[in-house]
Amino acid sequence: MNTAGLDVFFLTMGAAMVLAMHAGFAFLEAGTVRKKNQVNALVRVITDFGFSTIAYFFVGFSVAYGINFFVPVSELNILGGKTNGYEMVHFFFLLTFAAAIPAIISGGITERVRFWPNALATLIIVSLIYPFYEGLIWGGNMGYQGWLEATFGAPFHDFAGSVVVHSMGGFLAVGAVVLLGARKGRYTKDGRVVAILPSNIPFLALGSWILCVGWFGFNVMSAGNVEGASGLVAINSLLAMVGGLLAALVAGKNDPGFVHNGALAGLVAICAGSDIVHPVSALVIGLVAGACFVYGFQFVQTRLKIDDVLGVIPLHGGAGLWGGIAAGIFGQSSLGGAGGVTFMAQLVGTLTGVSIALVAGFVIYGLVRAMLGIRLSEEDEYHGADLSVHNISANPEQDMASH
């Protein structure tokens, strides 16, 4: 039976589920920021998706896979030797991954970043930086995977992007957050942390739930076709998610922000090895990720004094790093995994992605800051990005009535 049309439908559903995850990013951020920055959070997430689409369509997809769309429609339908326009929906699916990078970064830099300079950084990252590493790992570019296999006995295994997507986003955010500096009033002159409370816990929880549901498209549909779809990926994603939220519940002492983000930490960590580890190992990977997120968040905020608003550095960067390495531990047949991985290949592949992201984050946001400036003025930050950038609040009718 010709399954080409079925594969296109399968991947379209996956792309739609990951597209829905961007609503999760938006509401997670809108619920975490102060009320005066909710509109800005929502607008930046959806417009970053728009900028990402343009960047990935015209440049990024070609950088990663050597495929462009500048041919007649008759040729578009059979790009890459696939029929039914498969490569076009493949682009759509992978675009939703690429666009997750600025959505991740957004959570770290929110409440004080300028709109258009940030949009420029998004265009650069999704055109060049992310596709460069994506192409090394998933596109077979520059012989990198062959070198890893020859040197360490296996290529780097990242089934659904613990490192390719999440660590890249989390560690790109380091440069952005550090160069922006902390929100006004976040730290006292003697270094004490001042609590800045979230605006809406139900929005935060809704964002987490949307992300959790969409993640099963993120992971399961990474197979790329119906024949490759695996129930193992689904159950591993489920158990890692549960492990993450339960560990964060305990480590975070019932804090709802930690619980809802802990579920996401587990899902971040299982992406890499979801197709090769045993379900019990997936639970362990999630438990470690959830606990490490809580302690990592506290370390970044209180010890390093880095004002990463949503905790994207430990959540995506740290949990993604752990997931890449964990695949090399629990994926081995001696621990009940499917095999085909080595610890050293996973370690080197992971550290390669982290290094690229760290350097690129400082370079790109440093250049944008030098050319345009990236931080709102003190007055605009005080009034909030909603009024300063968009001239409207989250509840305009209610605000008018109160005056």
Side-chain angles (χ1 to χ4, degrees):
M1 184 178 72
N2 184 356
T3 61
L6 202 56
D7 289 342
V8 167
F9 179 75
F10 175 78
L11 215 51
T12 302
M13 291 299 97
M17 289 179 73
V18 186
L19 174 60
M21 289 174 69
H22 289 264
F25 283 122
F27 277 93
L28 189 69
E29 187 172 333
T32 305
V33 299
R34 288 167 288 184
K35 184 180 174 183
K36 63 184 180 180
N37 295 301
Q38 287 181 324
V39 172
N40 182 250
L42 295 170
V43 172
R44 275 191 298 103
V45 171
I46 195 169
T47 54
D48 270 343
F49 188 89
F51 293 127
S52 296
T53 301
I54 298 302
Y56 201 63
F57 180 84
F58 284 101
V59 183
F61 193 66
S62 179
V63 170
Y65 302 102
I67 295 173
N68 67 68
F69 302 103
F70 307 113
V71 295
V73 168
S74 58
E75 295 179 39
L76 281 178
N77 283 320
I78 54 171
L79 273 179
K82 307 283 183 69
T83 59
N84 295 67
Y86 176 87
E87 283 298 348
M88 288 184 283
V89 77
H90 191 214
F91 156 81
F92 179 21
F93 182 67
L94 290 172
L95 159 69
T96 59
F97 283 49
I101 301 293
I104 290 166
I105 297 169
S106 176
I109 62 180
T110 191
E111 297 207 275
R112 74 273 200 208
V113 70
R114 291 180 62 206
F115 187 85
W116 288 107
N118 180 61
L120 175 60
T122 291
L123 286 168
I124 297 169
I125 287 167
V126 180
S127 294
L128 301 172
I129 306 304
Y130 169 75
F132 172 74
Y133 183 65
E134 177 191 19
L136 290 184
I137 305 306
W138 290 342
N141 294 349
M142 299 176 67
Y144 179 74
Q145 289 281 40
W147 172 78
L148 283 177
E149 186 169 8
T151 308
F152 302 113
F156 178 62
H157 187 91
D158 191 357
F159 181 71
S162 285
V163 182
V164 173
V165 178
H166 296 285
S167 269
M168 282 295 288
F171 285 104
L172 275 162
V174 173
V177 174
V178 169
L179 291 171
L180 263 175
R183 291 168 290 175
K184 295 296 180 185
R186 178 58 169 155
Y187 302 105
T188 62
K189 289 183 178 178
D190 60 358
R192 288 183 294 111
V193 182
V194 177
I196 296 179
L197 298 178
S199 60
N200 194 309
I201 297 298
F203 274 5
L204 185 159
L206 175 65
S208 173
W209 270 109
I210 294 170
L211 282 162
C212 286
V213 173
W215 221 295
F216 288 85
F218 197 96
N219 283 6
V220 174
M221 268 76 161
S222 284
N225 55 60
V226 174
E227 190 177 352
S230 167
L232 179 66
V233 175
I235 194 170
N236 282 346
S237 301
L238 175 67
L239 286 169
M241 178 189 84
V242 169
L245 73 89
L246 292 178
L249 171 72
V250 175
K253 300 175 182 176
N254 298 341
D255 181 279
F258 283 139
V259 171
H260 286 92
N261 280 288
L264 306 181
L267 285 162
V268 167
I270 198 57
C271 287
S274 56
D275 63 326
I276 58 170
V277 304
H278 191 277
V280 174
S281 297
L283 179 62
V284 173
I285 290 169
L287 287 165
V288 172
C292 286
F293 165 69
V294 173
Y295 299 127
F297 182 89
Q298 294 167 340
F299 179 76
V300 168
Q301 300 282 341
T302 62
R303 297 291 296 276
L304 299 181
K305 301 291 192 296
I306 295 174
D307 189 15
D308 170 12
V309 181
L310 267 67
V312 300
I313 297 169
L315 176 59
H316 296 276
L321 184 153
W322 159 239
I325 295 171
I329 300 170
F330 296 100
Q332 297 193 36
S333 54
S334 58
L335 287 176
V341 289
T342 67
F343 175 77
M344 283 305 298
Q346 293 304 115
L347 178 65
V348 173
T350 298
L351 293 180
T352 299
V354 170
S355 301
I356 291 169
L358 280 172
V359 172
F362 279 98
V363 170
I364 291 165
Y365 286 94
L367 287 172
V368 172
R369 183 176 74 165
M371 291 188 299
L372 303 171
I374 55 172
R375 182 159 183 151
L376 291 173
S377 69
E378 193 166 340
E379 182 181 1
D380 284 348
E381 186 179 344
Y382 174 78
H383 289 298
D386 292 0
L387 294 177
S388 301
V389 179
H390 308 287
N391 299 311
I392 196 165
S393 67
N395 299 284
E397 188 178 27
Q398 180 180 320
D399 290 346
M400 286 293 290
S402 67
H403 292 301

